[in-house]
């Protein structure tokens, strides 16, 4: 049925909104949605703003019995005026939200402080219905854009990518997920499962994975707090006062801070969350926390204090980084750590300290970690030796003799090696052993009576083939004049060092095969 409606001539407002994005005053993330925005506003028509609903903002109009129409802030004088019964379109009301809620049109302290804001986050499906209306209204009524960036997330779909609907029977009730897994795991799963502007295929396994990750962080925090004894000096010791594992974890932490800040600055929030999870779950928990048990339980008083300070610092900064993703649990965990301030939500954001970024410490620690991986592989995958069985190791240490000697306890704690014998540089390789090669280090595990010589020869042949393929690839790059001339000098040098390491590993494997074959 045809009826009289109220319209707004919207083109003048749309022109201001178009100009704001074209000139860069407002940025839309991801950028390809700018085309959608332009299409809507360049083809916009007069906007019907009246709705026949029981609720909503009143249209400030009155109709006289004789047909006259009055629009104004205050009712007209005289008799015979009837208030307009239609209400404003909800998107008209929503478009006023950024400033109308702050006391506008009065010049209030809230308006001065909070308008304009910084980033507007919403779904791409209402880019025109809401975002464009807020921009048009804000520019027209206040002369300022309501925000400088629009970040658009995708729609939530089921794990197969289907739209959620009652017909398909795939409705996901967030309250049920919160009840089952918790609020923070659901939040973490949603943020880390997608990228800007792309739909999220929500798999409940991801939410469960988020809960498991949260449990791990809780256990890590509990480990740190349960090993505190009295007050600690504030801050973390200088790099020169730290042992290799502590220098390594501090370097990794400060690299993480830089990475997360870059990802936040470029609106890659999902990847930032994934990087934080990887650091805590794959680096701190299985490596540094386990290694720290040696100074905590067997070290001097000074070593214990240093380990505690590093542990507290690593967890404190990690919780600050994780807080935007898991606000409730991190707030609770942080409250148990030694800290300054009332709450994590208002604590200072983490900033990288360049003095702790240490390439050499990471390189040296990676050698020790790769040695642990090699020993575990020999024990668990090649010979199925029970983890509880203590083994001894013989090591040709190459240029890493001092570190292997100083940090022999790492192998005792992480792969149950109770004794390490370091060979002289010119010493012959032992017989009847399983071996692993890391850089210029060779690890031998005496396995007399437990080694299958044929299986070991087969493994070494496969390793040799893999190394030969890597050497051929790297040599091809270095023989390519185009690569050498265009790449940065440090990149070329890194490839040359990598080639030398591969060749050293191949030489050692060739020698091992020769010994096994007699």
């Amino acid at each position: 049925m045809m009826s009289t409606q109220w319209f707004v001539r919207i083109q003048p407002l749309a022109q201001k909104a178009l100009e704001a994005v074209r000139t860069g005053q407002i940025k839309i993330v991801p950028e390809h949605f700018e085309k959608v925005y332009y299409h809507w506003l360049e083809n916009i028509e007069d906007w019907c703003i009246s709705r026949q609903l029981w609720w909503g903002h009143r249209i400030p109009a009155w109709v006289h019995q004789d047909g006259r129409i009055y629009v104004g802030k205050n009712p007209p004088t005289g008799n015979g005026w009837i208030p307009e019964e239609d209400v404003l379109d909800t998107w008209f009301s929503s478009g006023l939200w950024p400033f109308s809620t702050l006391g506008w049109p009065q010049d209030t302290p809230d308006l001065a402080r909070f308008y304009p804001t910084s980033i507007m986050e919403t779904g791409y499906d209402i880019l025109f219905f809401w975002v464009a209306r807020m921009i048009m209204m804000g520019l027209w009524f206040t002369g300022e854009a309501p925000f400088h960036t629009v970040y658009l997330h995708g729609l939530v779909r089921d794990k197969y990518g289907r739209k959620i609907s009652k017909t398909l029977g795939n409705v996901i009730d967030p309250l049920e997920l919160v009840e089952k897994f918790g609020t923070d795991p659901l939040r973490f799963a949603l943020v880390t499962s997608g990228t800007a502007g792309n739909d999220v295929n929500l798999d409940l396994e991801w939410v469960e994975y988020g809960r498991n990750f949260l449990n791990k962080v809780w256990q890590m925090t509990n480990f740190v707090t349960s090993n505190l004894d009295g007050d600690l000096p504030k801050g973390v010791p200088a790099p020169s006062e730290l042992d290799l594992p502590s220098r390594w974890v501090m370097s990794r932490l400060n690299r993480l801070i830089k990475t997360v800040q870059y990802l936040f600055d470029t609106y890659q929030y999902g990847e930032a969350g994934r990087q934080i999870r990887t650091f805590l779950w794959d680096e701190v928990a299985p490596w540094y926390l386990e290694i720290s048990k040696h100074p905590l339980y067997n070290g001097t008083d000074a070593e214990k204090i240093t380990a505690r300070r590093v542990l507290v610092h690593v967890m404190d900064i990690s919780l600050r980084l994780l807080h935007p993703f898991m606000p409730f649990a991190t707030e609770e965990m942080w409250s148990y750590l030694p800290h300054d301030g009332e709450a994590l939500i208002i604590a200072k954001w983490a900033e990288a300290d360049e003095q702790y970024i240490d390439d050499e410490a990471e390189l040296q620690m990676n050698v020790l970690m790769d040695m642990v991986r090699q020993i575990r592989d020999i024990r668990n995958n090649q010979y199925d030796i029970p983890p509880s069985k203590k083994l001894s190791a013989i090591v040709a240490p190459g240029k890493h003799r001092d570190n292997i000697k100083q940090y022999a306890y790492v192998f005792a704690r992480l792969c149950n090696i109770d004794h390490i014998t370091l060979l002289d540089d010119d010493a012959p390789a032992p017989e009847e052993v399983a071996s692993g090669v890391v850089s210029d280090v060779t690890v031998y595990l005496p396995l007399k009576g437990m080694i299958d010589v044929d299986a070991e020869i087969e493994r070494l042949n496969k390793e040799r083939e893999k190394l030969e393929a890597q050497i051929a690839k790297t040599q091809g790059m270095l023989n390519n004049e185009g690569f050498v001339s265009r790449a940065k000098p440090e990149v070329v040098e890194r490839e040359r060092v990598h080639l030398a390491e591969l060749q050293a590993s191949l030489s050692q494997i060739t020698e091992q095969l020769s010994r096994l074959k007699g």
Side-chain angles (χ1 to χ4, degrees):
M1 183 176 66
M2 297 292 291
S3 61
T4 302
Q5 302 289 340
W6 289 90
F7 287 81
V8 169
R9 190 173 301 281
I10 200 68
Q11 290 82 358
L13 284 74
Q15 286 303 314
K16 288 180 176 290
L18 281 167
E19 191 68 15
V21 175
R22 284 176 176 151
T23 60
Q25 185 181 0
I26 296 176
K27 177 181 180 180
I28 298 178
V29 179
E31 188 177 353
H32 64 80
F33 277 102
E34 288 183 2
K35 293 181 180 179
V36 178
Y37 179 86
Y38 294 150
H39 174 77
W40 275 103
L41 295 187
E42 288 170 350
N43 298 280
I44 200 167
E45 297 182 359
D46 291 347
W47 178 11
C48 177
I49 60 168
S50 52
R51 295 292 183 270
Q52 294 72 51
L53 300 173
W54 288 105
W55 53 271
H57 285 152
R58 276 191 53 196
I59 294 176
W62 288 259
V63 180
H64 198 272
Q65 292 173 348
D66 61 12
R68 287 180 293 156
I69 297 175
Y70 171 84
V71 177
K73 294 182 179 179
N74 301 309
T77 58
N79 298 321
W81 292 99
I82 302 172
E84 173 61 64
E85 294 183 354
D86 286 359
V87 296
L88 289 169
D89 175 12
T90 187
W91 295 115
F92 189 101
S93 300
S94 299
L96 302 172
W97 175 270
F99 51 91
S100 65
T101 56
L102 302 175
W104 178 89
Q106 282 73 39
D107 188 14
T108 65
D110 282 349
L111 185 65
R113 179 177 180 183
F114 296 111
Y115 188 89
T117 187
S118 54
I119 300 176
M120 174 65 203
E121 196 278 347
T122 190
Y124 66 71
D125 54 325
I126 53 174
L127 174 60
F128 173 72
F129 295 106
W130 189 26
V131 176
R133 266 67 179 269
M134 284 190 287
I135 295 173
M136 288 190 286
M137 297 288 195
L139 288 168
W140 189 263
F141 288 112
T142 73
E144 292 185 272
F147 28 73
H148 62 66
T149 300
V150 178
Y151 178 91
L152 300 173
H153 65 249
L155 305 180
V156 178
R157 300 180 179 273
D158 72 8
K159 66 179 181 180
Y160 304 109
R162 300 176 302 177
K163 186 176 180 180
I164 293 175
S165 71
K166 292 181 180 179
T167 303
L168 291 175
N170 61 349
V171 174
I172 302 173
D173 187 337
L175 295 180
E176 292 181 2
L177 294 184
V178 168
E179 182 68 25
K180 184 175 182 179
F181 300 110
T183 304
D184 282 348
L186 175 58
R187 179 187 179 104
F188 189 79
L190 288 171
V191 176
T192 59
S193 295
T195 56
N198 292 320
D199 292 347
V200 173
N201 296 345
L202 183 59
D203 190 334
L204 299 192
E205 289 185 2
W206 275 103
V207 187
E208 183 177 10
Y209 186 72
R211 182 192 62 186
N212 295 342
F213 169 57
L214 179 56
N215 287 341
K216 172 62 72 173
V217 179
W218 186 276
Q219 292 166 1
M220 294 165 66
T221 307
N222 183 62
F223 170 80
V224 173
T225 56
S226 64
N227 279 283
L228 298 179
D229 184 14
D231 295 334
L232 287 175
K234 289 186 178 181
V236 68
S240 60
E241 301 175 30
L242 301 177
D243 61 8
L244 176 60
S246 295
R247 285 165 49 212
W248 168 78
V249 78
M250 287 296 297
S251 183
R252 298 299 300 153
L253 175 66
N254 282 277
R255 285 193 197 277
L256 175 69
I257 296 170
K258 292 181 67 174
T259 299
V260 169
Q261 188 61 61
Y262 167 78
L263 293 170
F264 271 31
D265 291 342
T266 53
Y267 310 104
Q268 300 179 66
Y269 303 114
E271 181 59 24
R274 291 188 287 271
Q275 291 284 337
I276 297 167
R277 179 184 61 204
T278 297
F279 172 71
L280 285 168
W281 206 331
D282 297 343
E283 297 187 34
V284 179
W287 294 102
Y288 188 71
L289 255 64
E290 291 300 319
I291 292 171
S292 71
K293 292 176 182 178
H294 178 78
L296 287 175
Y297 304 153
N298 306 108
T300 64
D301 289 344
E303 290 170 339
K304 291 177 181 179
I305 291 174
T306 297
R308 289 168 183 152
R309 291 174 68 185
V310 173
L311 285 167
V312 168
H313 181 79
V314 169
M315 288 309 303
D316 175 275
I317 297 300
S318 297
L319 292 176
R320 291 174 195 246
L321 295 175
L322 189 58
H323 185 64
F325 302 89
M326 293 182 156
F328 299 104
T330 52
E331 187 73 70
E332 180 71 12
M333 287 184 273
W334 190 76
S335 69
Y336 291 101
L337 292 173
H339 63 270
D340 293 324
E342 297 180 5
L344 178 55
I345 193 173
I346 55 174
K348 183 181 178 182
W349 181 244
E351 295 181 359
D353 189 339
E354 293 287 344
Q355 69 171 324
Y356 288 100
I357 296 179
D358 190 334
D359 292 339
E360 184 62 23
E362 292 188 35
L363 180 63
Q364 293 175 10
M365 191 65 191
N366 282 338
V367 171
L368 300 183
M369 293 163 67
D370 284 343
M371 289 174 62
V372 170
R373 294 186 182 102
Q374 285 280 3
I375 294 170
R376 286 174 173 174
D377 181 65
I378 293 171
R379 294 187 63 128
N380 303 331
N381 300 328
Q382 298 179 36
Y383 298 102
D384 195 25
I385 301 171
S388 59
K389 185 176 180 61
K390 292 184 180 295
L391 297 178
S392 60
I394 302 170
V395 178
K399 61 179 179 290
H400 299 280
R401 178 181 297 274
D402 292 342
N403 277 338
I404 295 172
K405 182 178 181 180
Q406 181 177 355
Y407 299 105
Y409 67 82
V410 169
F411 306 99
R413 183 159 293 280
L414 296 181
C415 46
N416 208 6
I417 298 295
D418 64 350
H419 179 72
I420 292 180
T421 300
L422 297 179
L423 296 176
D424 293 334
D425 292 340
D426 56 353
E431 298 180 354
E432 296 188 36
V433 294
S435 61
V437 178
V438 177
S439 185
D440 65 340
V441 178
T442 303
V443 180
Y444 304 99
L445 295 186
L447 299 171
K448 187 175 182 179
M450 291 185 286
I451 186 171
D452 184 331
V453 174
D454 292 336
E456 181 66 3
I457 290 174
E458 182 181 358
R459 183 187 73 82
L460 290 172
N461 277 325
K462 290 180 180 178
E463 185 68 20
R464 181 175 64 179
E465 291 173 3
K466 185 170 69 173
L467 284 170
E468 287 173 342
Q470 291 176 320
I471 288 171
K473 179 181 177 181
T474 305
Q475 283 178 330
M477 291 175 59
L478 293 173
N479 291 335
N480 185 334
E481 288 297 328
F483 168 75
V484 174
S485 61
R486 289 196 301 269
K488 294 181 179 179
E490 58 267 27
V491 173
V492 176
E493 181 60 25
R494 186 168 64 238
E495 290 301 323
R496 286 176 176 150
V497 171
H498 182 52
L499 176 61
E501 291 178 346
L502 291 173
Q503 290 171 332
S505 296
L506 179 62
S507 176
Q508 293 191 26
I509 284 179
T510 302
E511 290 179 11
Q512 293 174 45
L513 281 168
S514 177
R515 287 193 300 271
L516 286 173
K517 293 177 180 179

